[in-house]
Amino acid sequence: MEKEQHRSINTTNGSLDDLKYQSGFGNSFSSEALPGALPQGQNSPLVCPYGLYAEQISGTSFTSPRKLNERSWLYRIKPSVTHEPFKPRVPVRGKLVSEFDKSNSSTTPTQLRWKPVTVPDSPTDFIDGLYTVCGTGSSFLRHGYAIHMYTANKSMDNCAFCNADGDFLIVPQQGRLWITTECGKLQVSPGEIAILPQGFRFAIDLPDGPSRGYVAEIFGTHFQLPDLGPIGANGLAAPRDFLVPIAWFEEDYKPGYTIVQKFGGELFTARQDFSPFNVVAWHGNYVPYKYDLSKFCPYNTVLVDHSDPSINTVLTAPTDKPGVALLDFVIFPPRWLVAEHTFRPPYYHRNCMSEFMGLIYGGYEAKSDGFLPGGASLHSCMTPHGPDTKTYEATIARGNEAGPHKITDTMAFMFESCLMPRVCPWALESPFMDPDYYKCWIGLRSHFSYEGMNAKSNDLKNEHDGSADRATVVELISKTML
């Protein structure tokens, strides 16, 4: 079945605060900035309307199954091929990695945590402020991921960035991003995310000055909405809340305009005399998009126990193995906690998946201290983790009388992957690394009381004339403890 077609016309160049979008996830969209700019009845006519060039961008192989095939047709003033040869960018950016091995990264099972990174004083745009924290696999082999962070204090000037390695999922934590893409413009605020698919050229402006955030990059696949299973047809992230830009173009002569292309983790530059954002019309299903995390519809336990964090998955990049993700994007939004007789914060855990966490604003329910907005943590495969000492003690002190409680003013997230990450040396040696992270659990003490259990056992045996067997007594003790 063909996906729903969305058509829009944008004839004004209004401010970004007045931006209009198309809505939907995975739809076949169409948009034109000038009436009649989209060819009718075919993709590549001999002469396109307004004398435009037709150019296709493919996000999947030509022969991918129709339900997985992603591509868009762009109708532009000049084709993107019109540039000088690419040359290695100088100076070399050594802190971007897309091929992880022993030469550029290392493994550790230790729990890691970073404090928020300060924005540099020297002029730094998104490209120069982007650095890899950890990852695994290879962009060349089309399998794996990289997790980056960025700090920036200036807009990109007379240049655009293109990532040939994979898709970017950008999570701004401080400062809005105005992102110009070949399909149009996106305004992305902290609390929202943007997905910039492999190969699209984009530029990032900073209307609020200093900016900071997180980036997940996936190789060889694209993000999709998770299946809902027993939840049914509704809940979590709704397709209609994903927003796609409307066609917008510029046609000015721009001598010395630079395309910066990330290819195999290395940066290359090519010069041209026009803006890459000269697309007057486009149609297809391979597009940049954004999502407001406040629109997420969370599900939660309504009787006992704590739900697995997978219940909060916004987007997933699947592997060939059912139910196993190359990378999940999971959030921990405001929500009610109502479970009875239950330790409500996240349980202590060792996971076959690896978890990288960040905090956009507020606090995180499992860490009372040390995990700050703009910071991050990494708990790798089978590395134990869970609530810190203060959180645990405060939770059990409230006992079973704790009533319903709403978590408010917070937005934490997690990048979770089945692949074990390698950590870059500059991340391990960073002055923002928290060397005392392990101490948040050292204070956990034993609450085990064998004597108390024996006393209860003897009391219950006396109540039952000493005739109760051990299994019956243990069951009775368990009930009295509840």
Side-chain angles (χ1 to χ4, degrees):
M1 179 183 295
E2 290 287 347
K3 295 177 181 175
E4 183 180 357
Q5 186 100 185
H6 283 255
R7 183 179 178 83
S8 64
I9 297 177
N10 177 24
T11 57
T12 65
N13 291 331
S15 71
L16 286 174
D17 293 322
D18 299 326
L19 279 181
K20 293 181 173 59
Y21 300 95
Q22 304 174 87
S23 69
F25 188 92
N27 297 346
S28 181
F29 297 94
S30 60
S31 182
E32 53 186 9
L34 294 177
L38 276 173
Q40 300 300 309
Q42 63 180 119
N43 294 318
S44 186
L46 179 63
V47 178
C48 295
Y50 296 96
L52 299 172
Y53 288 86
E55 179 179 293
Q56 182 177 233
I57 181 167
S58 298
T60 56
S61 65
F62 296 142
T63 54
S64 291
R66 180 178 286 249
K67 66 179 180 179
L68 302 176
N69 208 298
E70 297 187 26
R71 65 90 177 95
S72 287
W73 281 91
L74 314 179
Y75 300 94
R76 54 197 323 148
I77 297 169
K78 290 183 71 173
S80 59
V81 71
T82 314
H83 61 75
E84 297 175 2
F86 280 102
K87 298 178 181 179
R89 187 172 187 253
V90 178
V92 174
R93 284 281 291 129
K95 291 188 176 182
L96 286 178
V97 180
S98 67
E99 183 89 356
F100 293 87
D101 56 40
K102 290 184 178 180
S103 69
N104 58 23
S105 54
S106 58
T107 58
T108 175
T110 299
Q111 302 95 339
L112 303 177
R113 184 164 71 184
W114 293 269
K115 300 172 184 178
V117 176
T118 55
V119 178
D121 295 327
S122 58
T124 305
D125 64 13
F126 176 82
I127 300 173
D128 289 326
L130 186 67
Y131 64 95
T132 308
V133 176
C134 61
T136 189
S138 165
S139 64
F140 293 96
L141 298 178
R142 313 307 305 136
H143 184 63
Y145 68 89
I147 294 174
H148 316 281
M149 297 186 73
Y150 72 88
T151 55
N153 56 23
K154 69 181 290 286
S155 300
M156 292 169 59
D157 182 29
N158 209 41
C159 70
F161 191 53
C162 177
N163 182 11
D165 292 334
D167 289 13
F168 273 166
L169 189 162
I170 301 179
V171 186
Q173 184 272 322
Q174 174 186 328
R176 290 175 297 165
L177 304 180
W178 286 355
I179 307 176
T180 303
T181 78
E182 292 172 274
C183 290
K185 292 176 175 286
L186 297 169
Q187 179 178 276
V188 187
S189 302
E192 297 180 315
I193 60 171
I195 289 77
L196 302 174
Q198 176 190 9
F200 273 97
R201 295 174 177 181
F202 64 90
I204 293 182
D205 293 311
L206 308 179
D208 304 326
S211 182
R212 178 175 63 194
Y214 314 82
V215 179
E217 180 182 12
I218 53 174
F219 311 138
T221 188
H222 301 296
F223 288 104
Q224 62 186 49
L225 293 176
D227 291 331
L228 295 181
I231 293 176
N234 304 291
L236 308 189
R240 71 173 181 172
D241 292 326
F242 289 83
L243 301 180
V244 172
I246 289 173
W248 177 91
F249 71 95
E250 55 186 6
E251 57 180 329
D252 298 338
Y253 177 64
K254 291 183 175 290
Y257 197 98
T258 303
I259 303 297
V260 181
Q261 182 135 324
K262 188 166 83 72
F263 188 90
E266 299 180 44
L267 297 184
F268 297 84
T269 62
R271 294 167 68 89
Q272 60 189 46
D273 61 5
F274 64 96
S275 167
F277 311 119
N278 64 351
V279 178
V280 181
W282 60 268
H283 77 88
N285 63 349
Y286 190 53
V287 291
Y289 56 94
K290 60 174 275 188
Y291 176 72
D292 183 346
L293 300 179
S294 69
K295 296 185 179 299
F296 188 80
C297 178
Y299 278 60
N300 213 342
T301 298
V302 293
L303 190 60
V304 296
D305 288 347
H306 185 99
S307 298
D308 294 332
S310 52
I311 198 67
N312 291 322
T313 301
V314 179
L315 292 170
T316 183
T319 64
D320 293 336
K321 189 174 182 179
V324 179
L326 173 69
L327 193 90
D328 280 336
F329 175 61
V330 179
I331 64 172
F332 303 95
R335 62 202 184 279
W336 280 96
L337 301 181
V338 299
E340 303 173 355
H341 306 301
T342 294
F343 185 80
R344 290 177 179 175
Y347 43 78
Y348 293 100
H349 188 40
R350 287 178 293 164
N351 193 354
C352 64
M353 309 282 276
S354 295
E355 304 174 8
F356 179 95
M357 284 199 64
L359 184 60
I360 302 172
Y361 58 84
Y364 178 55
E365 60 183 311
K367 297 291 188 296
S368 60
D369 296 314
F371 189 47
L372 304 173
S377 67
L378 176 63
H379 304 136
S380 292
C381 171
M382 290 304 174
T383 293
H385 54 281
D388 59 18
T389 302
K390 286 185 179 180
T391 300
Y392 181 86
E393 295 293 342
T395 300
I396 63 173
R398 286 191 288 269
N400 286 321
E401 301 307 314
H405 170 67
K406 188 176 183 181
I407 297 177
T408 60
D409 301 321
T410 181
M411 185 64 73
F413 72 89
M414 179 169 67
F415 298 138
E416 184 178 62
S417 175
C418 66
L419 302 182
M420 298 169 64
R422 301 182 67 89
V423 186
C424 296
W426 44 87
L428 292 173
E429 298 162 5
S430 169
F432 300 99
M433 170 70 78
D434 183 356
D436 296 327
Y437 183 29
Y438 73 96
K439 293 181 180 179
C440 78
W441 295 292
I442 293 299
L444 288 168
R445 58 188 177 87
S446 170
H447 292 268
F448 178 70
S449 177
Y450 185 69
E451 292 182 359
M453 190 168 183
N454 275 339
K456 284 181 175 289
S457 174
N458 291 331
D459 290 343
L460 287 169
K461 281 184 177 180
N462 291 334
E463 290 178 15
H464 290 78
D465 301 323
S467 61
D469 59 24
R470 178 174 176 78
T472 302
V473 170
V474 170
E475 182 180 358
L476 291 170
I477 290 175
S478 298
K479 290 181 178 179
T480 62
M481 291 179 71
L482 290 177

mmCIF file of all heavy atoms in Angstrom, residues 29 66 74 159 195 228 241 252 298 363 382 390 406 473:
data_model
loop_
_atom_site.group_PDB
_atom_site.id
_atom_site.type_symbol
_atom_site.label_atom_id
_atom_site.label_comp_id
_atom_site.label_asym_id
_atom_site.label_seq_id
_atom_site.Cartn_x
_atom_site.Cartn_y
_atom_site.Cartn_z
ATOM 1 N N PHE A 29 5.992 12.524 1.347
ATOM 2 C CA PHE A 29 5.666 13.939 1.421
ATOM 3 C C PHE A 29 5.928 14.611 0.078
ATOM 4 O O PHE A 29 6.679 14.093 -0.762
ATOM 5 C CB PHE A 29 6.530 14.626 2.474
ATOM 6 C CG PHE A 29 6.334 14.125 3.878
ATOM 7 C CD1 PHE A 29 7.143 13.125 4.393
ATOM 8 C CD2 PHE A 29 5.353 14.659 4.689
ATOM 9 C CE1 PHE A 29 6.987 12.666 5.690
ATOM 10 C CE2 PHE A 29 5.181 14.217 5.993
ATOM 11 C CZ PHE A 29 5.990 13.211 6.493
ATOM 12 N N ARG A 66 9.775 -2.496 -0.906
ATOM 13 C CA ARG A 66 9.051 -1.223 -0.993
ATOM 14 C C ARG A 66 8.764 -0.629 0.384
ATOM 15 O O ARG A 66 8.880 0.586 0.586
ATOM 16 C CB ARG A 66 7.748 -1.420 -1.758
ATOM 17 C CG ARG A 66 6.917 -0.150 -1.890
ATOM 18 C CD ARG A 66 5.659 -0.387 -2.699
ATOM 19 N NE ARG A 66 5.973 -0.523 -4.117
ATOM 20 C CZ ARG A 66 5.639 0.387 -5.047
ATOM 21 N NH1 ARG A 66 5.014 1.485 -4.678
ATOM 22 N NH2 ARG A 66 5.924 0.181 -6.293
ATOM 23 N N LEU A 74 14.644 15.811 -5.436
ATOM 24 C CA LEU A 74 14.848 17.223 -5.168
ATOM 25 C C LEU A 74 14.916 17.977 -6.494
ATOM 26 O O LEU A 74 15.598 17.542 -7.430
ATOM 27 C CB LEU A 74 16.148 17.444 -4.383
ATOM 28 C CG LEU A 74 16.406 16.528 -3.176
ATOM 29 C CD1 LEU A 74 17.755 16.869 -2.539
ATOM 30 C CD2 LEU A 74 15.285 16.630 -2.156
ATOM 31 N N CYS A 159 29.021 27.766 5.065
ATOM 32 C CA CYS A 159 29.380 26.359 4.889
ATOM 33 C C CYS A 159 28.208 25.478 5.299
ATOM 34 O O CYS A 159 27.301 25.914 6.023
ATOM 35 C CB CYS A 159 30.631 25.989 5.692
ATOM 36 S SG CYS A 159 30.398 25.971 7.478
ATOM 37 N N ILE A 195 16.363 14.516 13.525
ATOM 38 C CA ILE A 195 17.009 13.411 12.818
ATOM 39 C C ILE A 195 17.416 13.915 11.442
ATOM 40 O O ILE A 195 16.570 14.378 10.667
ATOM 41 C CB ILE A 195 16.087 12.177 12.702
ATOM 42 C CG1 ILE A 195 15.915 11.498 14.067
ATOM 43 C CG2 ILE A 195 16.689 11.158 11.734
ATOM 44 C CD1 ILE A 195 14.965 12.183 15.002
ATOM 45 N N LEU A 228 4.346 -1.715 18.880
ATOM 46 C CA LEU A 228 3.680 -1.505 20.159
ATOM 47 C C LEU A 228 3.216 -2.793 20.825
ATOM 48 O O LEU A 228 2.894 -2.805 22.008
ATOM 49 C CB LEU A 228 2.490 -0.556 19.974
ATOM 50 C CG LEU A 228 2.854 0.867 19.555
ATOM 51 C CD1 LEU A 228 1.587 1.712 19.418
ATOM 52 C CD2 LEU A 228 3.789 1.507 20.558
ATOM 53 N N ASP A 241 3.016 13.391 15.322
ATOM 54 C CA ASP A 241 3.773 14.403 16.045
ATOM 55 C C ASP A 241 5.186 14.602 15.503
ATOM 56 O O ASP A 241 5.917 15.467 16.000
ATOM 57 C CB ASP A 241 3.834 14.047 17.536
ATOM 58 C CG ASP A 241 2.469 14.153 18.207
ATOM 59 O OD1 ASP A 241 1.694 15.030 17.799
ATOM 60 O OD2 ASP A 241 2.193 13.357 19.119
ATOM 61 N N ASP A 252 21.047 32.964 -4.042
ATOM 62 C CA ASP A 252 22.102 33.970 -4.127
ATOM 63 C C ASP A 252 23.426 33.348 -4.570
ATOM 64 O O ASP A 252 23.738 32.192 -4.278
ATOM 65 C CB ASP A 252 22.302 34.642 -2.765
ATOM 66 C CG ASP A 252 21.052 35.367 -2.291
ATOM 67 O OD1 ASP A 252 20.219 35.701 -3.155
ATOM 68 O OD2 ASP A 252 20.913 35.576 -1.074
ATOM 69 N N PRO A 298 3.586 8.302 27.782
ATOM 70 C CA PRO A 298 4.239 7.201 28.510
ATOM 71 C C PRO A 298 3.239 6.199 29.065
ATOM 72 O O PRO A 298 2.089 6.527 29.363
ATOM 73 C CB PRO A 298 4.982 7.925 29.636
ATOM 74 C CG PRO A 298 4.188 9.163 29.868
ATOM 75 C CD PRO A 298 3.611 9.558 28.535
ATOM 76 N N GLY A 363 16.249 16.624 37.255
ATOM 77 C CA GLY A 363 17.040 15.570 37.888
ATOM 78 C C GLY A 363 16.579 14.212 37.405
ATOM 79 O O GLY A 363 15.526 14.079 36.782
ATOM 80 N N MET A 382 26.678 -5.843 30.769
ATOM 81 C CA MET A 382 26.796 -6.614 31.995
ATOM 82 C C MET A 382 27.522 -5.879 33.134
ATOM 83 O O MET A 382 27.928 -6.491 34.116
ATOM 84 C CB MET A 382 27.465 -7.966 31.742
ATOM 85 C CG MET A 382 26.584 -8.925 30.959
ATOM 86 S SD MET A 382 24.991 -9.170 31.781
ATOM 87 C CE MET A 382 24.115 -10.173 30.579
ATOM 88 N N LYS A 390 21.715 7.375 48.340
ATOM 89 C CA LYS A 390 20.705 8.304 48.858
ATOM 90 C C LYS A 390 19.319 7.961 48.323
ATOM 91 O O LYS A 390 18.337 8.005 49.065
ATOM 92 C CB LYS A 390 21.078 9.737 48.473
ATOM 93 C CG LYS A 390 22.237 10.314 49.263
ATOM 94 C CD LYS A 390 22.452 11.782 48.892
ATOM 95 C CE LYS A 390 23.589 12.390 49.685
ATOM 96 N NZ LYS A 390 23.804 13.826 49.341
ATOM 97 N N LYS A 406 4.068 12.144 41.334
ATOM 98 C CA LYS A 406 4.350 12.527 39.963
ATOM 99 C C LYS A 406 5.778 13.049 39.833
ATOM 100 O O LYS A 406 6.174 13.975 40.551
ATOM 101 C CB LYS A 406 3.361 13.588 39.478
ATOM 102 C CG LYS A 406 3.511 13.884 37.973
ATOM 103 C CD LYS A 406 2.457 14.862 37.480
ATOM 104 C CE LYS A 406 2.587 15.062 35.972
ATOM 105 N NZ LYS A 406 1.577 16.036 35.443
ATOM 106 N N VAL A 473 6.366 -21.453 57.049
ATOM 107 C CA VAL A 473 6.800 -20.323 57.870
ATOM 108 C C VAL A 473 7.356 -19.207 57.003
ATOM 109 O O VAL A 473 7.054 -18.028 57.193
ATOM 110 C CB VAL A 473 7.848 -20.793 58.895
ATOM 111 C CG1 VAL A 473 8.485 -19.586 59.584
ATOM 112 C CG2 VAL A 473 7.200 -21.689 59.933
#
